[in-house]
């Protein structure tokens, strides 16, 4: 058994702290628990420019990952940006637009999304969990006063076409320099 605890690293503008464990017998497996703090949303632009280019706010949260020789066994993450909030790319809200009430604020938000502008928010959090190899579930909470929106426990199921997609994603992330 190999353990790195405490594990501390700089991640863009923020800090990651946690523990990393590898066990080789009786069956190979690894676990990673990380706590992120003060990570600027704009730093995430290389992962999704439409959402994070120019974004503002300090992200904090936790990530728990467990893998075996067969691949990813579990993944959970909870991320938040507390008041005073920040701003995020309107693409973040595009998928929710059809479910919002038909109001003047929704129409204004639709135009902002079409123009790819940033949307200011007061606070936000998301909890993400891999339910099975082809399904991710996310629960979103977000306060967006400018558009009179309070998103509370909005549940999103993301279905993946291939059960190997998550393993491929984690392999790609591991190859980033």
């Amino acid at each position: 058994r190999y353990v790195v605890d405490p594990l501390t690293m700089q991640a863009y503008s923020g800090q990651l702290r946690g523990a990393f464990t590898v066990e080789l017998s009786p069956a190979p497996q690894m676990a990673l628990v990380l706590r992120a703090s003060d990570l600027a949303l704009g730093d995430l632009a290389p992962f999704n420019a439409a959402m994070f280019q120019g974004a503002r706010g300090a992200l904090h949260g936790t990530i728990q990952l467990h893998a075996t020789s067969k691949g990813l066994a579990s993944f959970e993450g909870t991320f938040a940006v507390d008041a005073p909030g920040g701003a995020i790319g309107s693409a973040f809200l595009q998928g929710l637009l059809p479910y919002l009430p038909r109001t003047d604020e929704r129409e204004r938000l639709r135009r902002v999304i079409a123009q790819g502008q940033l949307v200011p928010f007061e606070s936000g959090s998301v909890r993400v969990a891999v339910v099975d190899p082809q399904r991710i579930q996310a629960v979103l909470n977000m306060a967006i006063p400018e558009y009179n929106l309070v998103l509370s426990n909005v549940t999103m199921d993301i279905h993946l076409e291939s059960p190997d997609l998550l393993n491929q994603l984690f392999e790609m992330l591991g190859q980033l320099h």
Side-chain angles (χ1 to χ4, degrees), residues 19-177:
F20 179 68
T21 305
V22 176
E23 293 189 28
L24 300 176
S25 67
Q29 59 181 319
M30 72 92 157
L32 176 67
V33 176
L34 287 176
R35 288 171 301 287
S37 60
D38 299 322
L39 180 62
L41 285 177
D43 288 347
L44 302 175
F47 297 101
N48 188 321
M51 281 191 213
F52 298 114
Q53 189 70 42
R56 298 182 309 275
L59 180 74
H60 61 88
T62 60
I63 297 170
Q64 296 179 351
L65 179 138
H66 180 249
T68 67
S69 60
K70 295 178 183 176
L72 183 66
S74 67
F75 175 86
E76 285 190 30
T78 303
F79 310 96
V81 176
D82 296 327
I88 194 161
S90 55
F92 183 77
L93 299 169
Q94 187 167 12
L96 299 174
L97 196 59
Y99 304 102
L100 299 178
R102 294 189 185 278
T103 62
D104 290 342
E105 286 86 1
R106 176 186 166 184
E107 182 56 29
R108 283 182 36 232
L109 185 58
R110 186 195 62 73
R111 288 191 302 267
V112 165
I113 290 170
Q115 296 169 2
Q117 296 177 354
L118 293 174
V119 174
F121 65 94
E122 190 173 90
S123 62
S125 68
V126 64
R127 185 179 58 77
V128 179
V130 173
V131 177
D132 63 50
Q134 288 185 261
R135 195 175 102 197
I136 300 170
Q137 186 175 69
V139 178
L140 174 68
N141 293 285
M142 196 168 204
I144 310 170
E146 186 171 324
Y147 295 94
N148 197 27
L149 276 176
V150 176
L151 305 172
S152 182
N153 293 318
V154 175
T155 302
M156 298 169 277
D157 279 330
I158 302 160
H159 296 271
L160 306 173
E161 291 181 17
S162 166
D164 296 328
L165 227 58
L166 286 174
N167 288 330
Q168 291 170 8
L169 172 66
F170 283 109
E171 285 175 17
M172 283 185 349
L173 289 174
Q175 294 173 8
L176 291 177
H177 299 288

